[in-house]
């Protein structure tokens, strides 16, 4: 380990090579303590170690007479640990490194030694926005850097290490990996040059190093499970029991949204409440006169937003509103009259916080007491005076940007966390807070839900202001592809750190998304289990797209797993396991990332325990009877399309089995139960809405007639023992079939 600091204007390093046990075992936290042996130093350095859990942290106490500044504390210096383990077993290791992006929008993926990480070319207009300021952005082949945590994984031997931190309340942490030879890991806490006054002290968050492995073929466990659990525990993560499904104004109206648009979409959800049981209306960016001037409304919201909030409440729905409390357009009143409330650059002027809303934005200094009061009042007003029980808080990274602050002893992470704590306090425990553009670590324990991806867009590739700009290939910028990518690579955080927000689904056929692309987005959002927000003009959706929205409701809620996040840069499949009213079943989404039609193969190896299988394909209505050792190839999957399968163990001794259908995207949550005797079978269905479509059953003998209560049977047909019933109903229904 090593400390990098500045004293008397000189940069120096203190290597920590020799440690002496201090004997005082801190029983209450089950940890051993050591002190570094440092001749001629003003610093006392203590190490806290919980070796059984792979945790350690460092505390610095300054005994000198002059203030010093701390740049970073290095907690792993050029470590080669995985190689030592792996080489003894198998020399043909194939290393990959998973880079976690700093904040919601930052692209996160695994790369091998032969790859370059996807990097932005827009750092000049968005400096320091996608990675923490202390995290390098290596552009060479085989060199990587990650925020908060990173994973070194040997794909050959299916094992590796996760390293990083359990929280980011003290510092933003960086993991750097060099895979060009023997893999080398570095882990450090960015102290951002904060002042350590005589007598002052500084502590890192808990650093962590855990071994991981991908288990047997038929296992559905997330390899990062233990790390994710420890972080949730350390930060007392908030995971609401249920998450709202709703409508968001942004991806149709963008900044031109008006009060009338919100009213009309609220009305559409009410008119269609039986088909789309939505419970949230979220007003996004576009009501305020300027970003940073939250109490002044533009001409499209002449009455402000309080009246809309009460209309939404009267409709028995949750009223949500967007705010970006840490970022300012320079023309905003607060920014003009209080430049000292902004994070400063070296010349003492408000620091540039990225180009947005046609402006050179500025960022709030959350360590400034008056700025803190302003922040508290802004949030309080929105929740209490205007009546919004749900806030989407955006561009939060701005609170953690580097620069000069009122309190020079606070790191960027401490400043951001202080701001987030003020927000939670001002909003109250009951308010649903969705974080966006937010560094992940400080958000755990504050937010109920978190955007985990770049913005989606009405196009597969990069898209700005109605224009597709494919040549840019920006990893963190708006595009359906970028959004989906992170929804997959961060699927494992769902219901552990918060509810994942996979960003909106755009269903309108006028977008530049093909039907197959919309189906892929629907499949991934549904199977990863997070929030469901639709962002279209609901009055203008054609019937078939309205039906897609119905099919996604209610959201499945529980998380599927993405098993190849460490094995591939672009994950290819989502697996979800659950129960219908009869027994366990699974869902599998296989994704075609290619820009051309191709075939995709379902390999039943993960379902060995099931034996022979039934597959029911949601988007193309196929039913497949699959022997246990057989693979199934689906031909002609469209560009960016998905094969979405319900997988069921083939029941051998029953005269009837539920296989799936089109009533709900899960092909199973609608099934309440099934019974049978010599005369026939009874199928119980339930969804909290109007429903219609096809139900697929395997029947040993062709039924001769049907009876239904709570449902209407439009038609039925049996071919090769597969019965397809076209039905419609509302809430609960029973369908009886007679042999
Ligand atoms: C409102 C939007 C929506 C959206 C948010 C956020 O310049 N940028 O890199 C950039 C990235 C994201 C972004 C805007 C700009 O979108 O994610 O859902 O709320 O703000 O302005």
């Amino acid at each position: 380990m090593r400390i990098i600091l500045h004293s008397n204007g000189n940069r120096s390093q203190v290597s920590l090579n020799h440690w002496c046990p201090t004997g005082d075992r801190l029983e209450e936290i089950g940890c051993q303590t050591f002190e570094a042996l440092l001749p001629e130093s003003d610093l006392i350095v203590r190490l806290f170690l919980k070796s059984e859990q792979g945790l350690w942290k460092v505390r610095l106490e300054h005994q000198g007479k002059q203030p010093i500044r701390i740049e970073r504390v290095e907690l792993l210096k050029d470590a080669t640990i995985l190689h030592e383990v792996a080489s003894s077993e198998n020399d043909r290791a194939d290393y990959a490194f998973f880079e976690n992006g700093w904040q919601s929008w930052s692209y996160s993926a695994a790369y091998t030694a032969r790859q370059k990480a996807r990097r932005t070319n827009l750092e000049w207009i968005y400096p320091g926005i996608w990675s923490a300021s202390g995290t390098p952005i290596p552009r060479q082949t085989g060199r990587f850097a990650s925020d908060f945590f990173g994973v070194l994984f040997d794909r050959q031997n299916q094992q590796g290490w996760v390293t990083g931190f359990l929280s980011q309340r003290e510092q933003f942490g960086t993991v750097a990996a060099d895979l060009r030879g023997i893999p080398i890991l570095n882990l450090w806490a960015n102290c951002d040059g904060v002042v350590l006054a005589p007598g002052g002290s500084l502590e890192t968050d808990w650093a962590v190093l855990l071994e991981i492995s991908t288990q047997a073929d038929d296992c559905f466990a997330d390899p990062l499970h233990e790390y994710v659990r420890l972080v949730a525990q350390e930060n007392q993560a908030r995971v609401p029991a249920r998450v709202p499904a709703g409508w968001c104004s942004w991806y149709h109206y963008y900044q031109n949204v008006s009060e009338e648009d919100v009213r009309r979409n609220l009305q559409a959800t009410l008119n269609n409440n039986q088909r789309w049981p939505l419970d949230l209306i979220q007003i996004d960016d576009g009501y305020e006169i300027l970003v940073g001037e939250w109490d002044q409304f533009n001409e499209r919201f002449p009455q402000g937003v309080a009246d809309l909030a009460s209309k939404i409440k009267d409709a028995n729905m949750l009223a949500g509103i967007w705010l970006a409390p840490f970022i300012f357009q320079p023309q905003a009143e607060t920014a003009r009259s209080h430049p000292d409330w902004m994070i400063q650059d070296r010349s003492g002027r408000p620091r540039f916080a990225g180009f947005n809303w046609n402006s050179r934005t500025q960022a709030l200094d959350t360590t400034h007491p008056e700025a803190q009061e302003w922040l508290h009042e802004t949030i309080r007003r929105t929740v209490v005076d205007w009546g919004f029980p749900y806030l989407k808080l955006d561009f939060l990274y701005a609170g953690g940007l580097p620069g000069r602050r009122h309190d020079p002893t606070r790191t960027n992470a401490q400043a951001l966390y202080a701001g987030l704590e003020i927000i939670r306090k001002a909003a109250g425990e009951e308010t649903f807070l969705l974080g966006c553009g937010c560094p992940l670590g400080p958000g755990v324990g504050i937010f109920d839900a978190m955007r985990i991806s770049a913005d989606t867009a009405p196009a597969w590739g990069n898209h700005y202001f109605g224009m597709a700009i494919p040549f840019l290939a920006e990893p963190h910028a708006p595009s359906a592809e970028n959004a989906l990518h992170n929804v997959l690579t961060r699927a494992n955080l769902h219901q552990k750190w918060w509810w994942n927000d996979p960003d909106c689904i755009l269903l309108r056929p006028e977008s530049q998304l093909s039907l197959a692309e919309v189906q892929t987005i629907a499949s991934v959002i549904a199977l990863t289990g997070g929030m469901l927000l639709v962002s279209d003009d609901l009055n203008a959706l054609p019937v078939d797209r309205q039906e897609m929205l119905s099919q996604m409701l209610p959201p499945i809620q529980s998380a599927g797993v993405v098993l190849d996040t460490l094995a591939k840069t672009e994950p290819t499949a989502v697996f979800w396991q659950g129960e219908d009213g009869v027994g366990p079943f699974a869902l599998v989404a296989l994704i075609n990332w290619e820009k051309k039609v191709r075939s995709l193969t379902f390999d039943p190896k993960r379902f060995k325990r099931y034996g022979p299988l039934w597959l029911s394909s949601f988007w193309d209505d196929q039913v497949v009877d699959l022997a246990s050792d057989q693979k199934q190839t689906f031909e002609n999957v469209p560009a960016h399309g998905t094969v979405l399968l319900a997988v069921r163990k083939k029941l051998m001794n029953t005269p009837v089995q539920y296989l799936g259908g089109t009533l709900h995207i899960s092909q199973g949550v609608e099934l309440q139960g099934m019974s049978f005797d010599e005369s026939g079978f009874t199928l119980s269905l339930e969804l909290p809405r109007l429903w219609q479509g096809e139900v697929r059953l395997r029947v040993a003998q062709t039924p001769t007639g049907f009876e239904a209560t709570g449902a209407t049977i439009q038609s039925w047909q049996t071919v090769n023992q597969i019965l397809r019933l076209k039905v419609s109903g509302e809430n609960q229904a029973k369908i009886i079939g007679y042999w």
Side-chain angles (χ1 to χ4, degrees), residues 700-726:
Q701 46 182 314
T702 305
T704 54
F706 293 94
E707 218 175 90
T709 47
T712 312
I713 297 174
Q714 271 96 31
S715 66
W716 57 278
Q717 189 191 36
T718 310
V719 178
N720 295 333
Q721 297 195 333
I722 304 297
L723 166 65
R724 291 170 188 260
L725 275 171
K726 295 267 195 287

Side-chain angles (χ1 to χ4, degrees), residues 250-300:
W250 182 248
Y251 299 93
H252 181 82
Y253 298 97
Y254 292 97
Q255 273 212 293
N256 300 320
V257 64
S258 69
E259 180 184 330
E260 192 47 32
D261 296 330
V262 179
R263 277 183 204 285
R264 287 179 46 253
N265 279 281
L266 169 63
Q267 195 53 50
T269 62
L270 290 180
N271 296 346
N272 292 285
N273 190 263
Q274 289 303 308
R275 293 187 305 141
W276 317 322
L278 298 177
D279 32 39
L280 164 71
I281 296 286
Q282 185 197 285
I283 307 168
D284 213 287
D285 186 4
Y287 64 89
E288 73 285 359
I289 189 161
L290 285 167
V291 171
E293 210 164 320
W294 304 106
D295 52 354
Q296 300 288 319
F297 303 96
N298 63 39
E299 69 289 353
R300 296 181 306 279

